[in-house]
Each structure stands twice: as C-alpha cells, then as structure tokens.
Amino acid sequence: MYSQTVMDHFKNPRNVGVIEGADGVGEVGNPVCGDMMTFYIKVKNNVIEDVKFQTFGCGAAIAVSSMVSEMAMGKTLEEASQITNKKVAEALEGLPKQKLHCSNLGADALHKAIEDYRMKKEGTTYKPAPKKCYCPFCEVETPADSEICTGCGKELLDEPKHAH
Amino acid sequence: MASVVYADHVAAMPVYPQVFEAMVPYFKEYYGNPSSIHEDGEKAREALEEARGKVARLIGAQEEEIIFTSCGTESNNLALKGISLAHQSKGKEILISSVEHFSIMHCANALEKAGFHVTRLPVDEYGMVDPAVVERAITPQTILVSVMHSNPEVGTLEPIAEIGKITRAKKVLFHTDAIDSVGNIPVQVNELNVDLLSLAASTFYGPKGAAALYIRKGVKIQPLLDGGIQERGLRAGTENVPAIVGMGVAAELAQKEIPRKMSYLKELSDRLVRELPKKIPYLRFLGHPTRRLPGNVSVAVEYIEGEAMLLFMDMEGIRISSGSACISRSLKVSHVMLAMGVDAATAQGSLLFSFGMQNKPEDVDRILEVLPPIVERLRNMSPVYRKAMAKKA
C-alpha cells in the first residue's frame, strides 16, 4: 500500500520530539478523527533553525510529519509557508488516495506553528483555532462533530441512525 | 526472517489438508454440472447432497433446510432481502442489532431506502443485546429480527436462544448471522429457536466461495438470484461443487473437533489477555469478558493508532487486524465500538487477535515480546500520550 519512501519515513521518522520553550507551536487534528500532529519550531533570523513534531496517527500520518519536518528544516519562514500537501505527497512518492488527507494535516500543522510564531512576535495572544477535521473523500474542511461532509455530502460517522 | 505468526483467522484461514484433498477430484474428474441428467451430472449431484447432509448435521437442521450460497454476505443478503420482500404485505419493520456485520447493516440500509423501517437495537458496553429490549421493540409491523450469534470484532456472544424464545412467542421470524460461530462453538438451530441462520465454510477451515443459509421448513422466502431452479428454486446458479464438497468435509471435521478446538484456542487467548497488561499499561479489553469466541482477543491500546501498530507487527511477521478508522478503506472508525460506547479516540488504537488451530503457545510468546516495544515507540511520539501523562502527573 505504501511507497518505499513512506515506509522509510515511517520506520525512521526524522525530528521526532518536543521543543520546550519553542518559538512557535502548531497543532491540528484530534484523536477522534484518527490523526493529530503537533509541530514545534525554533526560529532565528527568519530561518527555521530547528523543528520537532509529535504525531498520533497511521503510517501515512507519521511519514507525512517526518517529511514535512525534513522539508522545513533550515528554510526561511517564507519558504516553509510554501510547503503544500501536494509537494509533501510528491516528496513521499505518492500516498494512497484515502490517505491524502493526512498530507493536509502535516502542512497545516507546520503553517500553524509559523502563524503562532508570528503572533507571538507581534505580541497578540494566540487563540487556538477551532478544531478542524477534513473529509477523507473530498478533503473539504468540516466541523469536527459533523456527520455529513459539507463539501461532498458523504456520511462521515457510521453511527446508528436510531439511537436508543 | 522471523517465522510468521498468523493471528487474523476472522479475516481468513487455511483449509485443512483433508478438505483440500476432497475438493481436487471435483475440479479435474468429477466436474459435471449437478443439473445434468447424465452420469457425470449424477456424480456431482450426489457429492452436493452428501455435503448438504454434513452441513445440516453440524447445526442440527434437516437437509432440505440448507440452501447453498457463495459466501456469508450472500446468505445474509438472502435472509434480509428474501424475507422482507416475501413478507412485506404483513408489515415493513425490521429489527437488527447495532453491531452487525456490514452485510447486514448495509443490507438493512438498502431496505430502508426501499421503504422498509429499520430499528437498530442498542447494545451494552460489551456489545450485548438485551432480550428485553428486543421484546419491547417488536410491534405488529415487525416481520424480521436479525441479531448476530457472535461478533468477530469484539468477540461477544449474543443471547440468541433467549431472543429466539421471544420471537417465537411473538410469532416473528428470527435470523442470526452465525458465520463466525458455526464450526467453532456449538450451534443448534432448535436450541437457538431461529428460523434462519447464515454460515460460511471459510470460518471453519473450509474454502472461500461456499456458504449456506438455513431456512426453517415452512418459512416463505423470495430468492435473490433468479435463473435456473437450483437449490429448490431459491438460489439460481450452477453450484460450486468443489467448494461445497470442501465445506461438507470441513463441517464433518468441525463437528468432531469443536470441544477440543474451544479449549485449545481459549488457552491461547486467555494467556494473551493475562500477560499483555503486565507488559503494556493503559489497555482496554473489548467485548464480553467470558461470553466470547475462543481465541479472540480484542484490545484498545490507548493514546496511539492501530494501523501504525499493525504495520510494525507485520514487519515482524505477525498478522493481526484492527478496528481503527485508518485501517478501514472507508476511513470510518468501527461502528461496533461506537455502538458499545467506546470513545472514538480509544477505538483508533484497537487491535484484534484471532487465533486458529495453526497457532502455538510460542506465538503468544512472540506477540508478548514484539508488541510492547512497538507500543512504547509509538507512545513516545504521540502528543495524545504526552498530554495524558501530563494530566496524570
């Protein structure tokens, strides 16, 4: 199911960990959805000096976070902001279709960390954005507890329609 | 390379050598169509009927009450759709449990779209249906109740005999999906008070491609497949003689073996359940603690995700399954676990071990050796674990 590059990043993820007193922290997803990533960055002179991440998720999620961290390391904030899910998936030699949403999460977590850094720098309090979930079928963002995807209408939770 | 530990028998299992040997001639020499009048047809017909007898004896049914199908899913579809369509003039209400296999769940969804009313009965934290709830749910419009005999995802055995007493009293037809039970634990249709029962050869060391639906004499049913008049006009299609012959042999072997199988497999699963918590903290075992399929261990490993564990286990040669959303191609977390009230985050860390007769005690040792470091490694990189530990501190 997974490419060799994905399996490599899954077995040997780069930059796993936490940065205490990080300059920026970005967290996306939640375990209910099945994926959660937290990215930590250390920034000096507009360059990402260090990046670490933690991930709760499947093989694709771990590989994506590892690849994102590798792509972000040593880049300027502007360059890092250009990292897209598409580029991540390409760098991993492709992901199975149903796993593409994991690549969304990785890039988003990094961008959130960058945003967090910028807000801290500008002195505004960081308000955590409402929890986001992505529909696995069309990748449109939907509220975390919604049962139907707002983008394509497919059912997201397989809950019994008649609760007791 | 480390030898393989195959612990995913609910998904698939090998056929016994005797089963395979019995099938071969029906591919090569006795390949006749059972409907042909000539001698080759007759030979195939005889083999078919002999297998029918063996399957009937396994569940305490009469031969003419066994209809052969191609798979468990087809048996379930035939039961639900065949009964609903045949009895819709009496009523349009169907009761199923909320933990059924997809071949019942999605079948019921399709019937709902076609105008039937489906009630999905709640279950307790073990995934068990309460017979009293079934009794309250039955109305004069109810034409069918379907509750599975055993749930392979969490192992729980349902109170089928008790529910059957109720449906008998209320004169409502009762179907049970006994696919994971038949051939592995005792199943007798008259003890269970069922009118229809699904079974499949692939769960008791028979081949894929052969299954059956038990239909009690006198129960009216509409066929799914129209065509020739095979299976008394209830299931058209040239019979898969080799597979059915295999199923017959497997049924015969199973009937003799059930008590020995049960105790052997229970010993393996009991040991895993006993030892695993000693090596891995924050585990939650799922399904009923005692009323469960022997050899079946369903456990949720908190704070990490199932597919990641499965991949690492696979690299070590251990084959298992999981109910996590990432594992399912539909990306939905197991509906069985949600119905049991297991929160979705915990359900993501589910692992399913299902032992079979090829497993040995050393296999349990290997799992106990390999899984803990995998869990530790994944927990050390999990933000969920980090937060949970910080809270506990």
Side-chain angles (χ1 to χ4, degrees):
Chain A
M1 174 167 66
Y2 290 133
S3 74
Q4 277 203 12
T5 313
V6 170
M7 286 311 280
D8 175 38
H9 277 265
F10 171 66
K11 285 193 272 191
N12 313 297
R14 292 68 158 145
N15 308 309
V16 173
V18 166
I19 300 175
E20 301 290 351
D23 295 320
V25 180
E27 191 171 274
V28 292
N30 75 73
V32 170
C33 290
D35 287 301
M36 183 173 163
M37 298 171 190
T38 311
F39 266 74
Y40 304 84
I41 54 174
K42 209 126 186 84
V43 182
K44 197 167 172 190
N45 299 327
N46 204 46
V47 169
I48 295 178
E49 203 175 53
D50 194 16
V51 54
K52 291 245 186 295
F53 75 90
Q54 285 211 314
T55 292
F56 166 103
C58 60
I62 292 170
V64 160
S65 333
S66 168
M67 178 57 85
V68 167
S69 76
E70 202 173 63
M71 288 167 86
M73 184 75 82
K75 299 280 192 312
T76 65
L77 293 178
E78 288 68 35
E79 285 167 333
S81 301
Q82 301 299 314
I83 296 172
T84 62
N85 8 313
K86 198 158 171 258
K87 288 190 187 142
V88 177
E90 270 166 21
L92 286 168
E93 291 187 294
L95 285 168
K97 194 156 179 277
Q98 73 266 29
K99 300 288 188 182
L100 283 171
H101 73 285
C102 292
S103 62
N104 288 1
L105 248 60
D108 283 354
L110 173 70
H111 299 153
K112 257 186 144 178
I114 295 170
E115 189 186 307
D116 182 41
Y117 163 77
R118 287 201 167 118
M119 285 188 120
K120 279 195 176 110
K121 226 174 145 233
E122 275 144 46
T124 53
T125 339
Y126 177 64
K127 277 191 292 283
K131 298 250 187 276
K132 285 181 184 182
C133 262
Y134 294 88
C135 169
F137 302 104
C138 68
E139 288 152 26
V140 160
E141 187 194 319
T142 61
D145 57 356
S146 103
E147 285 183 32
I148 311 264
C149 169
T150 47
C152 63
K154 288 221 171 74
E155 278 176 35
L156 294 175
L157 295 173
D158 202 4
E159 307 232 58
K161 288 190 174 66
H162 302 259
H164 26 290
Chain B
M1 199 191 78
S3 60
V4 170
V5 170
Y6 184 85
D8 192 15
H9 286 77
V10 290
M13 55 174 80
V15 302
Y16 277 149
Q18 307 99 303
V19 169
F20 184 72
E21 292 313 316
M23 288 169 68
V24 173
Y26 293 92
F27 285 114
K28 303 207 280 192
E29 297 149 65
Y30 308 124
Y31 50 79
N33 184 322
S35 301
S36 297
I37 307 249
H38 51 62
E39 195 175 319
D40 283 298
E42 285 293 320
K43 276 213 170 67
R45 162 76 36 203
E46 270 164 37
L48 201 70
E49 297 309 322
E50 196 181 322
R52 198 185 306 274
K54 292 173 181 171
V55 171
R57 277 189 292 283
L58 180 60
I59 59 172
Q62 295 174 51
E63 283 183 36
E64 57 268 35
E65 294 176 319
I66 301 293
I67 299 294
F68 290 127
T69 63
S70 64
C71 58
T73 292
E74 187 191 331
S75 299
N76 283 343
N77 268 258
L78 176 57
L80 253 63
K81 290 172 181 165
I83 293 294
S84 302
L85 295 173
H87 297 260
Q88 59 185 311
S89 55
K90 274 194 241 149
K92 293 192 107 178
E93 213 176 74
I94 302 163
L95 266 57
I96 64 169
S97 86
S98 47
V99 296
E100 298 296 312
H101 184 263
F102 283 147
S103 54
I104 295 283
M105 293 284 282
H106 295 170
C107 201
N109 292 350
L111 286 166
E112 199 169 42
K113 284 204 178 87
F116 287 84
H117 183 255
V118 177
T119 299
R120 294 159 184 84
L121 302 162
V123 294
D124 67 12
E125 74 213 83
Y126 300 127
M128 212 174 263
V129 173
D130 180 355
V133 170
V134 180
E135 183 156 27
R136 281 197 299 274
I138 293 175
T139 76
Q141 257 58 43
T142 308
I143 50 172
L144 179 66
V145 173
S146 178
V147 177
M148 65 199 320
H149 191 267
S150 58
N151 184 299
E153 259 194 71
V154 296
T156 302
L157 302 178
E158 300 290 345
I160 300 302
E162 290 94 322
I163 296 172
K165 279 206 192 88
I166 291 165
T167 53
R168 264 297 140 73
K170 298 226 170 183
K171 297 199 169 47
V172 176
L173 292 173
F174 183 31
H175 164 258
T176 187
D177 168 355
I179 287 165
D180 287 278
S181 304
V182 171
N184 296 304
I185 59 178
V187 174
Q188 295 291 297
V189 290
N190 291 326
E191 280 169 24
L192 298 174
N193 306 309
V194 294
D195 302 296
L196 300 117
L197 179 145
S198 302
L199 64 104
S202 57
T203 57
F204 51 95
Y205 306 91
K208 299 173 185 72
L213 179 66
Y214 157 79
I215 307 170
R216 188 174 289 276
K217 221 173 189 172
V219 171
K220 193 172 66 148
I221 191 166
Q222 196 176 108
L224 279 183
L225 296 178
D226 295 308
I229 55 162
Q230 291 91 345
E231 298 303 289
R232 300 190 288 117
L234 294 177
R235 201 274 183 184
T238 302
E239 301 91 336
N240 185 348
V241 178
I244 290 169
V245 165
M247 175 158 71
V249 173
E252 205 169 36
L253 292 168
Q255 195 166 13
K256 296 190 201 122
E257 245 201 348
I258 287 177
R260 181 176 79 91
K261 254 198 315 211
M262 284 174 70
S263 80
Y264 182 77
L265 295 177
K266 189 166 182 292
E267 226 177 274
L268 294 175
S269 51
D270 278 354
R271 192 158 142 252
L272 186 61
V273 170
R274 231 179 13 246
E275 299 297 318
L276 214 52
K278 296 180 187 167
K279 305 199 164 208
I280 303 174
Y282 312 115
L283 290 180
R284 186 178 154 177
F285 287 96
L286 302 172
H288 200 275
T290 53
R291 289 194 53 151
R292 57 183 305 109
L293 287 166
N296 181 303
V297 177
S298 181
V299 60
V301 180
E302 302 264 25
Y303 314 127
I304 55 178
E305 191 276 333
E307 193 216 72
M309 284 187 274
L310 245 74
L311 287 174
F312 279 125
M313 292 288 266
D314 192 25
M315 285 177 224
E316 298 288 334
I318 302 175
R319 321 286 191 222
I320 55 175
S321 184
S322 160
S324 89
C326 290
I327 273 271
S328 84
R329 286 188 194 274
S330 63
L331 289 181
K332 295 177 186 174
V333 90
S334 158
H335 66 284
V336 174
M337 293 181 196
L338 292 180
M340 287 161 57
V342 179
D343 73 271
T346 304
Q348 301 288 8
S350 100
L351 293 180
L352 177 58
F353 300 84
S354 45
F355 295 114
M357 296 310 282
Q358 61 178 324
N359 291 120
K360 301 183 177 64
E362 301 89 272
D363 295 346
V364 179
D365 293 326
R366 182 114 179 93
I367 292 168
L368 291 168
E369 182 196 325
V370 168
L371 186 58
I374 290 173
V375 171
E376 196 184 323
R377 185 200 168 114
L378 288 167
R379 279 183 173 161
N380 285 339
M381 61 183 297
S382 163
V384 184
Y385 180 69
R386 185 163 179 268
K387 287 185 186 185
M389 294 303 107
K391 265 206 196 115
K392 288 190 204 279

